[in-house]
Amino acid sequence: MRMLVRPLARTAMARRWRSDARDLGMSTAEYAVGVVAAVAFAGVLLKVITSSDVKSLLMTVVKSALQSVA
């Protein structure tokens, strides 16, 4: 009897393809971590933008721009 032998490269390629297919996309935990990171970044950005130093800097820039136009 002759046994069928699969070539090693073909089985390794099939295994690699199957394992890559399982890793496509993000899982729910990864989405949760991404959302938490985005919310934290938005909170820090909000704090920076609403700080008095940044407000005064922006007002200075706007006033300067308006004075140069007029």
Side-chain angles (χ1 to χ4, degrees):
M1 277 179 122
R2 192 174 127 185
M3 294 182 65
L4 295 175
V5 178
R6 289 189 213 166
L8 182 61
R10 177 186 264 175
T11 57
M13 187 174 67
R15 255 184 280 134
R16 187 178 311 127
W17 182 79
R18 280 193 306 253
S19 67
D20 288 347
R22 286 181 294 181
D23 292 337
L24 293 177
M26 290 197 309
S27 67
T28 304
E30 289 168 333
Y31 276 118
V33 170
V35 168
V36 168
V39 169
F41 181 71
V44 169
L45 190 61
L46 181 66
K47 276 292 196 190
V48 168
I49 299 251
T50 57
S51 70
S52 61
D53 292 335
V54 175
K55 279 184 183 179
S56 64
L57 179 65
L58 289 174
M59 287 301 288
T60 304
V61 169
V62 169
K63 284 179 183 178
S64 174
L66 289 175
Q67 287 175 355
S68 67
V69 171

